Amino acid sequence: MSDLIKDLDILPKKEEKDISCEARISQDNAKDGQRKLYIESYGCQMNFSDSEIVASVMEENNFGTTSNVEEADLIFLNTCSIRDKAEQTVRKRLQHYNNVKKNKPGLLIGVLGCMAERLKTKLLEEEKIVDIVAGPDAYRDLPKLVAEVDEGGKGVNVFLSREETYADISPVRLNSNGITAFISIMRGCDNMCSFCVVPFTRGRERSRDPKSVVAEAQELFDQGYREVTLLGQNVDSYKWSDDENNKARLEKKEKAEDMEITNFANLLEMVAKVSPELRVRFSTSHPKDITDEVLHTMAKYENICNYIHLPVQSGNSRVLDIMNRTYDREWYLNRVEAIRRILGEECGISSDMITGFCTETEEEHQDTLSLMDIVKYDLSYMFYYSERPGTLAEKKFEDDIPLDVKKRRLAEIIEKQGVHSLERYKMCVGNTYKVLIEGYSKRSKEHLQGRTSSNKVVVFPKKDFKLGEYAEVKIHDCTAATLIGESI
Ligand code: SAH
Ligand code: SF4
Ligand code: F3S
């Protein structure tokens, strides 16, 4: 191992990586005379993106954001319900803010996002400190909810909409380095994966007007951004029509073949055409819906990144069936084969996986391991099953796999993923890649950090490069999470 690797301390951690527990904290935007808002976000990229919409709505109403919680007049926690652990994290934060509020009685606390939607007014009963509860479709209403609290009441809106996409709201970029940004292209989810709480917390699936998506991408590019990630729970089911009649038919889930519509492949192409210098990424793809048309569009445009997040959840067809994923092992492997055929061996593929789902046998768990051996993911987000109230699985099946078994199976897939990640990264050594420079390496200002098209992190000496530029980097070493190279 080179000294640089040791020096950078970028080896992946062995423990479970729970993306839902990561907190992102807001930036300083407040002007004089504005009340100050501090936003803490948990969960998926969609939630981080929503916090930017929230900041924008609040800014219009004389609230600026602050990164210093001590000067906040209002604290928003944008929450996640995906696993029990995610909710427990937020409960602990509320306890913490309870103590803060003792010394600052005027401080207002709002719970937003998926946990707000799931628990509704129960949150007000259970967590006395909470003043505002707002679900994911209620963010335009936040200033009114704050006003209700100012007048001595509580503010609650957990109404789920069939239309809201916040298309006209220009997000305040809180989570940004000025180079990469998220664009929400749809909201909600109509898939009913039996383990998943999202359809209940985010409501029905709806797509956003492609014109507003392209306009946002263009605006970001003009401001100097060089990468956008199009976000949706299932981007492959993106559909839009300006025609009222077609809209009604799409609502009824009629087949779209004979209609003039914009599908996800069309949208990808429209965004890619904003500029060849603007990289386009997207997340999440659903194995049942990802089409060859999307893969061919990716192949056609160099600036559409060669990377697909394609969560498998399990490698066993019976488990996939009771998870209600609506594909089986063969279908999934066929999609991976199409990716390799159309986009090549180098295309990055990542996954989400759940161990110890209801009734999963040891043999079925082995099928997940063997599927991993076939696909060889670059990266996976791996979890053990956490039963969620109100989901189909909670109603239909017993959560019967003991915690120690779930955890042992999880450890096995994490270990395998580590081997595959290293293998996939080693494949890159000796090659040269175009890297978008996103920042400095964590350890040294003398090294820059960026990513390849296939989403692999690259660290290399700075020389004369600036952030936001592209560099051709020759890779000479790697870990299972970082490529190390030299610009040429
Ligand atoms: N829309 C995305 C996933 C969103 S949730 C998709 O369809 O793939 C992110 C991940 O959390 C899921 O892919 C799944 O692996 C995991 N997850 C969801 N519900 C879970 C539960 N009840 N227990 C454990 N992991 C869960
Ligand atoms: Fe949840 Fe399935 Fe929808 Fe993803 S596709 S958000 S896992 S219900
Ligand atoms: Fe969590 Fe809601 Fe996202 S449950 S993962 S924040 S959609």
Side-chain angles (χ1 to χ4, degrees):
M1 190 191 297
S2 78
D3 283 346
L4 180 58
I5 301 180
K6 271 185 269 162
D7 179 45
L8 293 169
D9 190 23
I10 41 188
L11 291 167
K13 293 203 183 70
K14 275 256 167 176
E15 75 237 28
E16 178 194 357
K17 182 177 171 195
D18 195 332
I19 41 170
S20 70
C21 290
E22 194 182 327
R24 299 267 177 97
I25 298 190
S26 65
Q27 285 180 0
D28 295 289
N29 277 328
K31 300 184 194 78
D32 282 349
Q34 284 185 323
R35 285 165 85 183
K36 288 186 177 148
L37 164 65
Y38 180 84
I39 313 182
E40 216 169 274
S41 311
Y42 298 84
C44 59
Q45 291 170 331
M46 195 75 88
N47 245 21
F48 300 140
S49 165
D50 279 2
S51 290
E52 303 189 324
I53 289 165
V54 168
S56 176
V57 170
M58 296 306 289
E59 197 166 69
E60 293 286 300
N61 288 274
N62 214 24
F63 275 88
T65 56
T66 173
S67 64
N68 179 2
V69 67
E70 279 164 23
E71 59 173 36
D73 303 298
L74 171 61
I75 296 175
F76 281 158
L77 275 75
N78 195 358
T79 62
C80 174
S81 288
I82 202 81
R83 285 166 288 275
D84 185 54
K85 203 168 144 193
E87 291 202 358
Q88 293 315 321
T89 307
V90 170
R91 300 266 185 190
K92 279 193 210 117
R93 287 308 280 169
L94 287 171
Q95 271 169 26
H96 165 77
Y97 285 128
N98 209 358
N99 293 330
V100 176
K101 199 168 171 169
K102 278 181 192 137
N103 302 322
K104 200 175 173 183
L107 180 67
L108 306 187
I109 307 279
V111 177
L112 319 184
C114 291
M115 212 174 147
E117 190 61 51
R118 193 179 84 72
L119 293 164
K120 306 189 169 62
T121 49
K122 246 168 86 181
L123 253 180
L124 294 179
E125 290 153 28
E126 290 171 4
E127 307 285 345
K128 295 281 177 257
I129 182 190
V130 176
D131 301 298
I132 293 166
V133 177
D137 290 342
Y139 298 151
R140 284 181 205 270
D141 209 26
L142 281 169
K144 197 182 112 226
L145 300 180
V146 173
E148 281 166 24
V149 179
D150 285 340
E151 278 157 29
K154 298 264 178 183
V156 182
N157 184 345
V158 288
F159 176 73
L160 283 175
S161 158
R162 296 191 74 136
E163 286 97 35
E164 181 64 272
T165 59
Y166 302 112
D168 57 313
I169 293 179
S170 180
V172 173
R173 304 287 164 187
L174 298 173
N175 309 302
S176 179
N177 47 11
I179 298 158
T180 61
F182 300 125
I183 304 181
S184 282
I185 61 162
M186 54 207 297
R187 301 183 69 81
C189 184
D190 282 354
N191 297 315
M192 277 284 178
C193 301
S194 60
F195 51 79
C196 185
V197 78
V198 172
F200 304 96
T201 61
R202 294 254 159 189
R204 293 299 299 273
E205 180 186 291
R206 65 221 99 120
S207 298
R208 175 177 165 189
D209 189 333
K211 292 186 283 300
S212 75
V213 173
V214 173
E216 190 171 331
Q218 181 70 56
E219 190 181 305
L220 286 163
F221 182 73
D222 294 342
Q223 289 166 5
Y225 285 82
R226 290 295 173 263
E227 181 182 293
V228 292
T229 303
L230 309 181
L231 293 181
Q233 292 299 346
N234 176 3
V235 291
D236 302 291
S237 64
Y238 177 91
K239 277 180 201 74
W240 180 265
S241 172
D242 286 319
D243 179 294
E244 288 304 321
N245 187 31
N246 282 352
K247 259 187 202 163
R249 290 178 62 194
L250 288 177
E251 274 266 312
K252 283 188 230 140
K253 302 255 165 224
E254 281 185 37
K255 284 260 177 290
E257 275 114 47
D258 64 329
M259 290 181 241
E260 268 290 310
I261 62 150
T262 307
N263 66 16
F264 182 59
N266 307 140
L267 180 74
L268 255 186
E269 179 153 33
M270 288 160 76
V271 178
K273 280 181 172 164
V274 166
S275 166
E277 293 293 297
L278 182 70
R279 276 189 168 177
V280 187
R281 296 186 186 276
F282 53 88
S283 187
T284 304
S285 302
H286 196 298
K288 85 172 153 67
D289 293 319
I290 189 167
T291 59
D292 286 2
E293 190 190 0
V294 166
L295 303 179
H296 286 297
T297 307
M298 291 173 72
K300 189 170 155 196
Y301 290 90
E302 191 261 341
N303 57 326
I304 304 179
C305 290
N306 210 15
Y307 168 70
I308 301 176
H309 184 54
L310 194 69
V312 68
Q313 313 300 358
S314 163
N316 175 270
S317 294
R318 187 194 72 87
V319 175
L320 287 169
D321 183 46
I322 60 170
M323 283 178 163
N324 209 16
R325 289 289 287 181
T326 67
Y327 56 83
D328 59 13
R329 179 183 170 99
E330 282 62 44
W331 174 277
Y332 186 90
L333 289 174
N334 168 286
R335 294 290 76 210
V336 171
E337 192 270 326
I339 293 169
R340 295 277 175 246
R341 176 165 38 84
I342 297 167
L343 294 164
E345 271 308 305
E346 287 241 336
C347 181
I349 307 180
S350 60
S351 191
D352 295 346
M353 282 173 251
I354 300 176
T355 61
F357 185 63
C358 315
T359 71
E360 184 191 62
T361 66
E362 215 47 52
E363 270 176 357
E364 290 166 338
H365 163 63
Q366 289 298 325
D367 284 345
T368 300
L369 291 164
S370 76
L371 179 130
M372 293 173 77
D373 280 328
I374 298 170
V375 179
K376 302 236 165 103
Y377 295 108
D378 287 14
L379 164 86
S380 292
Y381 298 99
M382 296 161 280
F383 315 98
Y384 63 79
Y385 174 58
S386 163
E387 185 177 80
R388 308 310 293 131
T391 55
L392 294 179
E394 188 239 7
K395 289 182 188 144
K396 266 172 88 175
F397 311 113
E398 200 188 328
D399 180 12
D400 59 349
I401 309 298
L403 187 60
D404 59 334
V405 175
K406 286 178 177 172
K407 285 190 171 172
R408 194 253 306 145
R409 290 180 189 168
L410 177 64
E412 285 173 16
I413 65 170
I414 290 176
E415 190 182 339
K416 187 169 280 298
Q417 184 54 55
V419 174
H420 290 162
S421 293
L422 186 59
E423 208 173 299
R424 292 285 300 171
Y425 274 66
K426 271 190 178 157
M427 255 176 64
C428 301
V429 174
N431 300 345
T432 300
Y433 295 96
K434 183 173 171 181
V435 173
L436 174 61
I437 303 166
E438 293 170 30
Y440 294 95
S441 98
K442 285 183 197 105
R443 278 297 178 85
S444 120
K445 283 261 170 197
E446 292 310 306
H447 287 84
L448 295 168
Q449 180 168 311
R451 275 175 299 153
T452 64
S453 175
S454 70
N455 210 29
K456 295 183 181 68
V457 172
V458 180
V459 173
F460 62 100
K462 183 173 177 295
K463 297 192 186 151
D464 292 331
F465 286 104
K466 295 187 191 69
L467 306 192
E469 288 179 341
Y470 289 98
E472 292 289 333
V473 180
K474 185 163 185 195
I475 308 303
H476 57 69
D477 206 348
C478 75
T479 70
T482 309
L483 299 174
I484 293 140
E486 186 99 31
S487 57
I488 53 167

mmCIF file of all heavy atoms in Angstrom, residues 82 188-199 233-234 284 286 288 311 313 323-325 352 354, ligand 2:
data_model
loop_
_atom_site.group_PDB
_atom_site.id
_atom_site.type_symbol
_atom_site.label_atom_id
_atom_site.label_comp_id
_atom_site.label_asym_id
_atom_site.label_seq_id
_atom_site.Cartn_x
_atom_site.Cartn_y
_atom_site.Cartn_z
ATOM 1 N N ILE A 82 -37.162 5.244 7.057
ATOM 2 C CA ILE A 82 -36.934 4.022 6.282
ATOM 3 C C ILE A 82 -36.643 2.819 7.169
ATOM 4 O O ILE A 82 -37.082 1.713 6.888
ATOM 5 C CB ILE A 82 -35.827 4.240 5.207
ATOM 6 C CG1 ILE A 82 -35.947 3.217 4.097
ATOM 7 C CG2 ILE A 82 -34.432 4.252 5.773
ATOM 8 C CD1 ILE A 82 -36.971 3.534 3.056
ATOM 9 N N GLY A 188 -42.826 10.910 -4.784
ATOM 10 C CA GLY A 188 -43.677 9.786 -4.430
ATOM 11 C C GLY A 188 -43.233 8.477 -5.041
ATOM 12 O O GLY A 188 -42.220 8.408 -5.747
ATOM 13 N N CYS A 189 -43.983 7.417 -4.751
ATOM 14 C CA CYS A 189 -43.681 6.099 -5.307
ATOM 15 C C CYS A 189 -44.952 5.270 -5.357
ATOM 16 O O CYS A 189 -45.666 5.184 -4.374
ATOM 17 C CB CYS A 189 -42.627 5.379 -4.466
ATOM 18 S SG CYS A 189 -42.161 3.798 -5.193
ATOM 19 N N ASP A 190 -45.193 4.664 -6.528
ATOM 20 C CA ASP A 190 -46.371 3.807 -6.686
ATOM 21 C C ASP A 190 -46.037 2.325 -6.590
ATOM 22 O O ASP A 190 -46.900 1.480 -6.777
ATOM 23 C CB ASP A 190 -47.042 4.063 -8.048
ATOM 24 C CG ASP A 190 -47.880 5.331 -8.037
ATOM 25 O OD1 ASP A 190 -48.015 5.931 -6.955
ATOM 26 O OD2 ASP A 190 -48.390 5.714 -9.102
ATOM 27 N N ASN A 191 -44.770 1.996 -6.340
ATOM 28 C CA ASN A 191 -44.435 0.585 -6.144
ATOM 29 C C ASN A 191 -44.750 0.257 -4.699
ATOM 30 O O ASN A 191 -44.565 1.085 -3.835
ATOM 31 C CB ASN A 191 -42.957 0.343 -6.415
ATOM 32 C CG ASN A 191 -42.621 0.640 -7.852
ATOM 33 O OD1 ASN A 191 -43.335 0.252 -8.753
ATOM 34 N ND2 ASN A 191 -41.543 1.363 -8.058
ATOM 35 N N MET A 192 -45.181 -0.932 -4.496
ATOM 36 C CA MET A 192 -45.511 -1.301 -3.122
ATOM 37 C C MET A 192 -44.578 -2.401 -2.659
ATOM 38 O O MET A 192 -45.026 -3.507 -2.373
ATOM 39 C CB MET A 192 -46.976 -1.746 -3.039
ATOM 40 C CG MET A 192 -47.930 -0.586 -2.906
ATOM 41 S SD MET A 192 -47.848 0.021 -1.204
ATOM 42 C CE MET A 192 -48.980 1.392 -1.312
ATOM 43 N N CYS A 193 -43.296 -2.114 -2.608
ATOM 44 C CA CYS A 193 -42.366 -3.098 -2.058
ATOM 45 C C CYS A 193 -42.824 -3.358 -0.625
ATOM 46 O O CYS A 193 -43.065 -2.412 0.123
ATOM 47 C CB CYS A 193 -40.942 -2.568 -2.091
ATOM 48 S SG CYS A 193 -40.418 -2.154 -3.768
ATOM 49 N N SER A 194 -42.941 -4.623 -0.264
ATOM 50 C CA SER A 194 -43.665 -4.938 0.976
ATOM 51 C C SER A 194 -42.937 -4.446 2.226
ATOM 52 O O SER A 194 -43.551 -4.235 3.254
ATOM 53 C CB SER A 194 -43.950 -6.436 1.062
ATOM 54 O OG SER A 194 -42.736 -7.155 1.060
ATOM 55 N N PHE A 195 -41.616 -4.254 2.131
ATOM 56 C CA PHE A 195 -40.851 -3.826 3.306
ATOM 57 C C PHE A 195 -40.850 -2.307 3.488
ATOM 58 O O PHE A 195 -40.383 -1.807 4.497
ATOM 59 C CB PHE A 195 -39.390 -4.303 3.196
ATOM 60 C CG PHE A 195 -38.738 -3.937 1.872
ATOM 61 C CD1 PHE A 195 -38.257 -2.659 1.644
ATOM 62 C CD2 PHE A 195 -38.601 -4.885 0.860
ATOM 63 C CE1 PHE A 195 -37.672 -2.312 0.431
ATOM 64 C CE2 PHE A 195 -38.021 -4.556 -0.356
ATOM 65 C CZ PHE A 195 -37.560 -3.262 -0.575
ATOM 66 N N CYS A 196 -41.374 -1.569 2.516
ATOM 67 C CA CYS A 196 -40.991 -0.157 2.406
ATOM 68 C C CYS A 196 -42.077 0.823 2.845
ATOM 69 O O CYS A 196 -43.250 0.704 2.480
ATOM 70 C CB CYS A 196 -40.600 0.133 0.962
ATOM 71 S SG CYS A 196 -39.973 1.795 0.719
ATOM 72 N N VAL A 197 -41.651 1.828 3.565
ATOM 73 C CA VAL A 197 -42.563 2.808 4.132
ATOM 74 C C VAL A 197 -42.770 4.005 3.186
ATOM 75 O O VAL A 197 -43.690 4.797 3.350
ATOM 76 C CB VAL A 197 -42.009 3.250 5.523
ATOM 77 C CG1 VAL A 197 -40.862 4.237 5.380
ATOM 78 C CG2 VAL A 197 -43.102 3.809 6.415
ATOM 79 N N VAL A 198 -41.910 4.116 2.168
ATOM 80 C CA VAL A 198 -41.910 5.326 1.323
ATOM 81 C C VAL A 198 -43.260 5.631 0.655
ATOM 82 O O VAL A 198 -43.705 6.785 0.663
ATOM 83 C CB VAL A 198 -40.767 5.271 0.279
ATOM 84 C CG1 VAL A 198 -40.869 6.408 -0.727
ATOM 85 C CG2 VAL A 198 -39.413 5.308 0.977
ATOM 86 N N PRO A 199 -43.964 4.637 0.080
ATOM 87 C CA PRO A 199 -45.262 4.971 -0.541
ATOM 88 C C PRO A 199 -46.227 5.624 0.453
ATOM 89 O O PRO A 199 -47.085 6.408 0.050
ATOM 90 C CB PRO A 199 -45.788 3.613 -1.004
ATOM 91 C CG PRO A 199 -44.566 2.777 -1.194
ATOM 92 C CD PRO A 199 -43.624 3.209 -0.116
ATOM 93 N N GLN A 233 -37.634 8.241 -6.768
ATOM 94 C CA GLN A 233 -37.570 6.898 -6.164
ATOM 95 C C GLN A 233 -37.478 5.829 -7.245
ATOM 96 O O GLN A 233 -36.985 4.730 -7.007
ATOM 97 C CB GLN A 233 -38.799 6.626 -5.279
ATOM 98 C CG GLN A 233 -38.877 7.469 -4.028
ATOM 99 C CD GLN A 233 -37.709 7.265 -3.102
ATOM 100 O OE1 GLN A 233 -36.934 6.316 -3.231
ATOM 101 N NE2 GLN A 233 -37.553 8.165 -2.152
ATOM 102 N N ASN A 234 -37.996 6.133 -8.423
ATOM 103 C CA ASN A 234 -37.994 5.164 -9.519
ATOM 104 C C ASN A 234 -37.976 5.972 -10.817
ATOM 105 O O ASN A 234 -39.006 6.169 -11.444
ATOM 106 C CB ASN A 234 -39.247 4.299 -9.393
ATOM 107 C CG ASN A 234 -39.402 3.330 -10.535
ATOM 108 O OD1 ASN A 234 -38.545 3.245 -11.415
ATOM 109 N ND2 ASN A 234 -40.492 2.620 -10.548
ATOM 110 N N THR A 284 -33.078 6.820 -8.419
ATOM 111 C CA THR A 284 -32.719 5.424 -8.439
ATOM 112 C C THR A 284 -33.390 4.730 -9.607
ATOM 113 O O THR A 284 -34.535 5.026 -9.927
ATOM 114 C CB THR A 284 -33.202 4.765 -7.127
ATOM 115 O OG1 THR A 284 -32.664 5.451 -6.015
ATOM 116 C CG2 THR A 284 -32.787 3.324 -7.058
ATOM 117 N N HIS A 286 -35.079 1.343 -11.236
ATOM 118 C CA HIS A 286 -35.767 0.140 -10.743
ATOM 119 C C HIS A 286 -35.580 -0.987 -11.759
ATOM 120 O O HIS A 286 -35.878 -0.804 -12.935
ATOM 121 C CB HIS A 286 -37.247 0.429 -10.530
ATOM 122 C CG HIS A 286 -37.914 -0.608 -9.684
ATOM 123 N ND1 HIS A 286 -38.012 -1.925 -10.055
ATOM 124 C CD2 HIS A 286 -38.488 -0.520 -8.452
ATOM 125 C CE1 HIS A 286 -38.631 -2.606 -9.089
ATOM 126 N NE2 HIS A 286 -38.929 -1.777 -8.110
ATOM 127 N N LYS A 288 -37.221 -3.495 -12.589
ATOM 128 C CA LYS A 288 -38.367 -3.905 -13.415
ATOM 129 C C LYS A 288 -38.609 -2.922 -14.548
ATOM 130 O O LYS A 288 -39.210 -3.264 -15.551
ATOM 131 C CB LYS A 288 -39.627 -4.050 -12.560
ATOM 132 C CG LYS A 288 -40.412 -2.768 -12.318
ATOM 133 C CD LYS A 288 -41.742 -3.060 -11.621
ATOM 134 C CE LYS A 288 -42.223 -1.882 -10.802
ATOM 135 N NZ LYS A 288 -42.607 -0.691 -11.530
ATOM 136 N N PRO A 311 -30.784 -1.187 -7.323
ATOM 137 C CA PRO A 311 -30.944 -2.000 -6.109
ATOM 138 C C PRO A 311 -31.592 -3.351 -6.378
ATOM 139 O O PRO A 311 -32.642 -3.410 -7.007
ATOM 140 C CB PRO A 311 -31.869 -1.143 -5.226
ATOM 141 C CG PRO A 311 -31.678 0.255 -5.709
ATOM 142 C CD PRO A 311 -31.465 0.115 -7.198
ATOM 143 N N GLN A 313 -31.965 -5.814 -3.736
ATOM 144 C CA GLN A 313 -32.613 -6.164 -2.453
ATOM 145 C C GLN A 313 -32.342 -7.606 -2.032
ATOM 146 O O GLN A 313 -31.982 -7.852 -0.892
ATOM 147 C CB GLN A 313 -34.126 -5.898 -2.454
ATOM 148 C CG GLN A 313 -34.558 -4.553 -2.990
ATOM 149 C CD GLN A 313 -34.007 -3.349 -2.232
ATOM 150 O OE1 GLN A 313 -33.308 -3.497 -1.238
ATOM 151 N NE2 GLN A 313 -34.293 -2.140 -2.710
ATOM 152 N N MET A 323 -41.189 -9.799 -1.362
ATOM 153 C CA MET A 323 -40.848 -8.368 -1.193
ATOM 154 C C MET A 323 -41.694 -7.505 -2.139
ATOM 155 O O MET A 323 -41.653 -6.289 -2.057
ATOM 156 C CB MET A 323 -39.369 -8.123 -1.512
ATOM 157 C CG MET A 323 -38.398 -8.535 -0.429
ATOM 158 S SD MET A 323 -36.704 -8.208 -1.027
ATOM 159 C CE MET A 323 -35.810 -8.271 0.536
ATOM 160 N N ASN A 324 -42.377 -8.178 -3.057
ATOM 161 C CA ASN A 324 -43.196 -7.485 -4.058
ATOM 162 C C ASN A 324 -42.366 -6.577 -4.963
ATOM 163 O O ASN A 324 -42.797 -5.494 -5.346
ATOM 164 C CB ASN A 324 -44.292 -6.663 -3.360
ATOM 165 C CG ASN A 324 -45.518 -6.513 -4.234
ATOM 166 O OD1 ASN A 324 -45.682 -7.246 -5.202
ATOM 167 N ND2 ASN A 324 -46.360 -5.545 -3.917
ATOM 168 N N ARG A 325 -41.185 -7.061 -5.327
ATOM 169 C CA ARG A 325 -40.323 -6.264 -6.209
ATOM 170 C C ARG A 325 -40.725 -6.411 -7.678
ATOM 171 O O ARG A 325 -40.234 -5.680 -8.534
ATOM 172 C CB ARG A 325 -38.852 -6.659 -6.013
ATOM 173 C CG ARG A 325 -38.264 -6.219 -4.677
ATOM 174 C CD ARG A 325 -38.053 -4.715 -4.616
ATOM 175 N NE ARG A 325 -36.928 -4.266 -5.425
ATOM 176 C CZ ARG A 325 -36.545 -2.986 -5.515
ATOM 177 N NH1 ARG A 325 -37.202 -2.035 -4.853
ATOM 178 N NH2 ARG A 325 -35.530 -2.650 -6.273
ATOM 179 N N ASP A 352 -28.644 -1.796 -3.478
ATOM 180 C CA ASP A 352 -29.089 -1.837 -2.073
ATOM 181 C C ASP A 352 -29.483 -3.285 -1.794
ATOM 182 O O ASP A 352 -30.052 -3.935 -2.674
ATOM 183 C CB ASP A 352 -30.340 -0.981 -1.848
ATOM 184 C CG ASP A 352 -30.114 0.503 -2.073
ATOM 185 O OD1 ASP A 352 -28.951 0.936 -2.144
ATOM 186 O OD2 ASP A 352 -31.119 1.229 -2.161
ATOM 187 N N ILE A 354 -31.036 -6.092 1.380
ATOM 188 C CA ILE A 354 -31.608 -6.290 2.714
ATOM 189 C C ILE A 354 -31.392 -7.745 3.111
ATOM 190 O O ILE A 354 -31.750 -8.646 2.356
ATOM 191 C CB ILE A 354 -33.124 -5.982 2.709
ATOM 192 C CG1 ILE A 354 -33.373 -4.531 2.296
ATOM 193 C CG2 ILE A 354 -33.730 -6.283 4.067
ATOM 194 C CD1 ILE A 354 -34.857 -4.170 2.165
HETATM 195 FE FE1 SF4 B 2 -39.725 1.794 -1.552
HETATM 196 FE FE2 SF4 B 2 -39.940 0.069 -3.522
HETATM 197 FE FE3 SF4 B 2 -40.745 2.581 -3.875
HETATM 198 FE FE4 SF4 B 2 -38.152 2.043 -3.678
HETATM 199 S S1 SF4 B 2 -39.515 1.343 -5.297
HETATM 200 S S2 SF4 B 2 -39.257 3.663 -2.631
HETATM 201 S S3 SF4 B 2 -38.105 0.360 -2.204
HETATM 202 S S4 SF4 B 2 -41.658 1.076 -2.487
#
